[in-house]
Amino acid sequence: MSAVAGKFDELQKLGVEVLSVSVDSTFVHKIWEEAELSKMTKNGIPWPMISDGAGNLGRVYGVYDENNGVNIRGRFLIDPDGVIQAMEVMTPPVGRMIGEAIRQIQAFQLVRNSKGTEACPAEWQPGKPTLKPGLDLVGKVWQVWKPE
């Protein structure tokens, strides 16, 4: 969460709404914010932390661990139409990388804004060439896309 907080301004510039969800109560969230998160981030967590005590949201997104009564760590990129475009689920010992999420958001936004006339190949970075899907590209991807 602190890594996301460090990039929150960048996410806002991209028009991203950030929410965090856990099975912890709002009281636990408050203590966690005061005792931990506020010490790891400049101004604490600037987005809503949602309490999912019964695990209902976790079940909907397939991350609720019934045996342990917790939501497994997950990240969901949901477009303005409410469609999940990407998701990543990690076990607790391994953290996520916000830079990759930002790259994916930029790619999804580029594709959406192009109305599907552009695609972002593997390893794509902002400012790098995109692919133009269509019959003219068939058998010629190698001429356009040169992964590093």
Side-chain angles (χ1 to χ4, degrees):
M1 272 217 231
S2 60
V4 176
K7 297 286 187 178
F8 188 69
D9 289 344
E10 188 174 349
L11 290 165
Q12 283 195 305
K13 286 177 187 167
L14 290 169
V16 173
E17 183 177 354
V18 177
L19 304 170
S20 60
V21 178
S22 79
V23 296
D24 295 328
S25 71
T26 54
F27 303 107
V28 171
H29 287 165
K30 181 176 176 15
I31 295 300
W32 192 42
E33 168 72 22
E34 291 173 358
E36 293 284 339
L37 297 174
S38 64
K39 293 175 178 75
M40 294 188 295
T41 63
K42 186 176 180 180
N43 296 314
I45 300 301
W47 61 79
M49 293 197 305
I50 299 166
S51 178
D52 182 30
N56 293 326
L57 282 171
R59 282 185 189 88
V60 167
Y61 286 93
V63 295
Y64 185 70
D65 178 344
E66 296 281 349
N67 293 331
N68 294 307
V70 298
N71 289 330
I72 300 168
R73 288 183 181 165
R75 175 183 73 213
F76 299 86
L77 300 181
I78 303 170
D79 71 16
D81 298 321
V83 176
I84 296 173
Q85 294 295 327
M87 64 183 195
E88 178 181 49
V89 179
M90 308 283 281
T91 59
V94 176
R96 292 152 289 186
M97 186 169 212
I98 187 61
E100 174 58 9
I102 290 171
R103 184 198 72 82
Q104 289 175 348
I105 291 163
Q106 292 167 324
F108 286 121
Q109 288 179 342
L110 186 149
V111 170
R112 182 180 179 92
N113 291 339
S114 80
K115 298 185 180 357
T117 62
E118 294 184 68
C120 298
E123 303 292 325
W124 176 86
Q125 292 289 327
K128 295 290 184 181
T130 59
L131 299 176
K132 312 287 188 230
L135 290 176
D136 293 342
L137 187 61
V138 175
K140 298 177 186 169
V141 171
W142 64 273
Q143 294 173 346
V144 179
W145 178 52
K146 306 218 185 284
E148 298 175 18

